[in-house]
Amino acid sequence: GFMGELFGAFDELTKKYNIYKVETIGDAYIAGCAEAPLTSENVPINVVLFGLDMVIAVTQWSDKLGEEPVSCRVGIQHGECIGGLVGIEMQRYHLFGKLVKELDILESTGMEGMVQISSACKAAVELSMEEEGFQGVQFET
């Protein structure tokens, strides 16, 4: 189905940006960077670039389909959360905490075809870019 095609494209993007896919719930694709062993490095800008490429992938897929336009909303938060295995017979890795609730709000209130980031994500990206030698880069939240 079409969700399998889109999520397959997102899975390929996880490899490009070193992103960890946590889970999918319905039409939600939950992924991000973390400390080892989930991802080899925690680079906030990679999550933002991943989100932007998700929007592009959906647009390209929709254009190829040639029917009713399809778009997506992406929300990105930065901070700490708790993760762990849930279940006995069908174990799944799941995230918990304030970050997850904030992430849900960012995604659900975002504009279609756009990536909405939190102020914490903005600050983390700007700091990361400064550390890499990029000066004066600013983002709107």
Side-chain angles (χ1 to χ4, degrees):
F2 80 92
M3 292 305 289
E5 289 180 33
L6 286 175
F7 285 176
F10 297 164
D11 289 347
E12 290 301 312
L13 292 174
T14 63
K15 298 172 191 170
K16 178 179 179 181
Y17 292 108
N18 192 26
I19 301 293
Y20 178 75
K21 175 183 173 182
V22 178
E23 64 182 329
T24 59
I25 302 173
D27 66 352
Y29 189 98
I30 302 169
C33 283
E35 303 302 326
L38 297 180
T39 56
S40 61
E41 55 186 353
N42 190 348
V43 183
I45 189 69
N46 283 2
V47 180
V48 174
L49 294 172
F50 172 73
L52 291 168
D53 268 1
M54 289 174 78
V55 172
I56 292 168
V58 170
T59 301
Q60 290 173 342
W61 177 84
S62 178
D63 290 347
K64 184 177 76 174
L65 195 61
E67 295 180 15
E68 188 72 27
V70 176
S71 63
C72 68
R73 294 184 307 254
V74 177
I76 302 176
Q77 174 60 304
H78 178 82
E80 295 181 357
C81 64
I82 298 170
L85 290 176
V86 178
I88 296 172
E89 291 187 26
M90 286 188 61
Q91 292 185 340
R92 290 187 354 198
Y93 191 79
H94 192 73
L95 299 177
F96 302 93
K98 182 180 171 188
L99 178 136
V100 178
K101 183 175 183 170
E102 292 166 346
L103 180 59
D104 182 49
I105 292 168
L106 285 165
E107 182 274 331
S108 64
T109 62
M111 295 175 58
E112 288 190 20
M114 302 292 281
V115 176
Q116 180 168 241
I117 66 172
S118 68
S119 56
C121 177
K122 175 183 181 270
V125 168
E126 289 174 346
L127 178 62
S128 173
M129 292 186 77
E130 238 176 68
E131 290 171 351
E132 294 294 321
F134 295 96
Q135 300 297 320
V137 177
Q138 295 184 341
F139 298 90
E140 288 186 36
T141 54

